[in-house]
Amino acid sequence: MADLSSALLPVVEQLLERHLATAKEWFPHEMVPWSRGRDFTADDQWSAEDANVSDEARVALTVNLLTEDNLPYYFASLSDGSREGAWSEWTRRWTAEEGRHAIVIRDYLTVTRAIDPVELERGRMQQVSTGAVPRYDEPVEGLVYTTLQELATRIAHRNTGELLEDPAGRAVMRRVAADENLHHLFYRDLTTAALELDPSRVVCAMDVVVRGFEMPGTGIPDFARLARVIAAAGVYDFSVHYRQIIVPIVLERWGLADLGDLSSDAEEARDRLMAFIDRLASIAARTEARREARAHREIRV
């Protein structure tokens, strides 16, 4: 991987320059409706009636925020241990921007009382104390994962915002989603460059990552149940994952099915991954059918 990393360094430098030129400066304090806030006192217990937020939106907001809170462990996974060079500059910049996301979402939720702050803080302590993040043996696997994960996060933030009736809340989630899209573009284009240099290695990485993909947040308390709620609400489910992540990136952008000049191991990995993607397509179709049937039942009621 050392040779590939060296070959990718000019690409990292170009993508960092592009990101800095494209990223918009914004300030969390300007997006939070502070005038709605009041003190939390010992006898002032939080109630779900304090804010006009659905249970599904509350769950999605909790997961989104706790994922952003786990920054120290993502940074450790991405950092190469150096303070010099474009990659180190990128990881620091990425960390600063993700930290801003946590600030604005938490401030919004606290001011509007959309989420129980006690439970939220307990969840943050468990999430960060556990430090559970996906880990990969090959750095190129990390590039594939962050490409898919940042796009998934962008979609989840945006869809969560659409669950909110509050214009201020929707604006917060859209702003965060816009940042996540820039992060996705950085990793997507870096992985694309790696694919051009060493297609066999990247295809093997795709096989490992896509077949074992998990959204960041497995350390969140009761994550499996929360993920089911988010899926049922249409924020992020198998259909979203297949149609908005796998198809446009793995199949179309990276052209998995048409890649040539692969090693025998990479050919086997591609065959295995294509079979998995076919199964994922079937699951996505069943998910969509169930959603349509549920929508028809609700209309009749």
Side-chain angles (χ1 to χ4, degrees):
M1 183 63 190
D3 291 342
L4 182 57
S5 297
S6 298
L8 288 173
L9 184 57
V11 182
V12 174
E13 294 171 348
Q14 294 168 7
L15 294 177
L16 175 60
E17 289 178 5
R18 184 185 73 180
H19 180 82
L20 295 176
T22 306
K24 178 182 178 181
E25 183 180 45
W26 59 277
F27 303 98
H29 72 275
E30 294 179 351
M31 303 194 72
V32 178
W34 299 103
S35 60
R36 300 190 208 171
R38 68 178 191 270
D39 291 346
F40 283 91
T41 60
D43 58 352
D44 184 13
Q45 298 297 312
W46 178 85
S47 169
E49 298 177 356
D50 286 343
N52 185 25
V53 177
S54 67
D55 291 340
E56 294 82 2
R58 190 171 288 112
V59 167
L61 288 164
T62 299
V63 171
N64 289 359
L65 176 52
L66 294 182
T67 297
E68 301 285 356
D69 278 328
N70 216 20
L71 274 172
Y73 298 96
Y74 296 122
F75 181 83
S77 297
L78 291 172
S79 176
D80 61 2
S82 171
R83 287 194 57 82
E84 305 299 327
W87 182 254
S88 295
E89 185 177 350
W90 161 254
T91 54
R92 292 193 296 270
R93 172 76 186 202
W94 175 87
T95 301
E97 292 183 1
E98 295 287 8
R100 182 162 57 191
H101 298 166
I103 290 169
V104 73
I105 296 173
R106 176 170 280 101
D107 284 350
Y108 169 78
L109 296 179
T110 302
V111 164
T112 60
R113 295 182 174 240
I115 288 180
D116 182 350
V118 173
E119 291 303 312
L120 184 63
E121 177 61 10
R122 286 172 177 165
R124 187 191 71 84
M125 287 296 294
Q126 178 170 329
Q127 166 78 335
V128 179
S129 297
T130 303
V133 294
R135 295 187 182 277
Y136 295 101
D137 296 329
E138 282 276 351
V140 72
E141 295 172 0
L143 293 183
V144 172
Y145 177 77
T146 48
T147 298
L148 305 183
Q149 177 264 316
E150 290 286 1
L151 179 54
T153 303
R154 183 204 84 185
I155 293 168
H157 282 315
R158 180 82 182 197
N159 287 347
T160 296
E162 296 308 304
L163 295 178
L164 304 177
E165 296 182 6
D166 180 17
R170 289 198 300 270
V172 166
M173 301 312 294
R174 288 172 181 172
R175 178 63 263 170
V176 172
D179 275 9
E180 300 290 10
N181 190 56
L182 294 182
H183 299 165
H184 159 67
L185 294 177
F186 179 96
Y187 291 115
R188 183 200 69 183
D189 292 349
L190 184 56
T191 306
T192 301
L195 186 62
E196 294 171 355
L197 292 170
D198 194 340
S200 292
R201 179 170 291 180
V202 178
V203 167
C204 290
M206 289 184 203
D207 176 49
V208 171
V209 172
V210 174
R211 289 191 301 111
F213 185 83
E214 291 182 334
M215 285 290 281
T218 54
I220 294 173
D222 203 15
F223 179 72
R225 182 186 65 81
L226 300 182
R228 290 193 295 272
V229 173
I230 291 171
V235 172
Y236 198 89
D237 60 13
F238 281 111
S239 174
V240 172
H241 184 68
Y242 173 72
R243 302 208 181 278
Q244 299 185 46
I245 309 290
I246 301 303
V247 171
I249 301 303
V250 178
L251 298 183
E252 295 178 355
R253 180 76 183 191
W254 291 338
L256 175 64
D258 299 321
L259 290 171
D261 195 25
L262 298 178
S263 67
S264 59
D265 286 346
E267 290 280 9
E268 291 178 6
R270 175 168 58 185
D271 291 344
R272 188 165 51 240
L273 180 53
M274 289 300 297
F276 175 83
I277 291 174
D278 286 343
R279 293 195 298 274
L280 187 59
S282 298
I283 296 172
R286 291 197 296 271
T287 299
E288 291 161 0
R290 287 195 297 269
R291 184 183 302 149
E292 291 177 5
R294 185 166 59 248
H296 287 313
R297 288 196 300 271
E298 291 174 354
I299 290 173
R300 288 197 298 269
V301 172

